[in-house]
Amino acid sequence: MKCISYFDYSQIGLVNDSNVLKIKLNALFPGLRYTNIPFDLIYADLSSKTFKTIAKQNIHNNSMLLIEGIYQNKGRTAQWSTIKNLKEVTVSMDLYYCGIVFFRREQAKEHFKIRI
């Protein structure tokens, strides 16, 4: 959640439209919007369906995708591998418990593994 204030995100996309998460986020960050695209931050939790592509209209150059549980099971690990290899993805960070992806066109493609 610190990334919301650090990057000054206001457009949040939730892959599973969780009212519980929206209530928690709105308590900490009033003024967040969840329906306008492109999104600044897209969050996919453990119950999210796997996806193999990211719609270009949903992201912009400074968007971030956060995927929870990238090593939860083989399917999630395969999804993580597919996403970090997409041509739109420039920076991916493997934090073991979650994965973070950025789409900055001006940056060289890099992958980081950080154990926290």
Side-chain angles (χ1 to χ4, degrees):
M1 290 197 207
K2 289 183 180 184
C3 64
I4 293 173
S5 60
Y6 182 81
F7 290 113
D8 196 27
Y9 288 157
S10 61
Q11 304 289 112
I12 310 298
L14 303 175
V15 175
N16 280 343
D17 199 14
S18 169
N19 285 331
V20 174
L21 183 56
K22 281 183 185 179
I23 291 168
K24 288 180 182 180
L25 287 173
N26 285 332
L28 295 170
F29 307 101
L32 292 179
R33 294 180 302 270
Y34 301 93
T35 56
N36 299 345
I37 56 175
F39 296 114
D40 297 324
L41 169 67
I42 301 171
Y43 173 73
D45 64 10
L46 289 173
S47 61
S48 300
K49 293 179 181 177
T50 58
F51 49 97
K52 296 185 179 176
T53 187
I54 298 159
K56 290 180 183 177
Q57 69 268 21
N58 290 341
I59 59 171
H60 55 73
N61 193 53
N62 294 319
S63 292
M64 180 174 89
L65 170 64
L66 188 136
I67 303 170
E68 189 177 338
I70 58 174
Y71 292 107
Q72 175 94 13
N73 56 46
K74 289 181 182 181
R76 295 290 284 196
T77 304
Q79 176 193 20
W80 171 244
S81 182
T82 300
I83 289 171
K84 71 182 184 181
N85 290 318
L86 292 172
K87 67 176 181 162
E88 298 86 15
V89 171
T90 54
V91 175
S92 58
M93 296 170 41
D94 178 340
L95 304 176
Y96 187 74
Y97 296 103
C98 67
I100 299 173
V101 171
F102 292 96
F103 305 93
R104 296 186 177 129
R105 290 179 291 276
E106 68 277 3
Q107 195 162 348
K109 192 166 186 94
E110 293 183 86
H111 176 68
F112 299 95
K113 258 189 173 173
I114 302 169
R115 298 290 184 208
I116 54 173

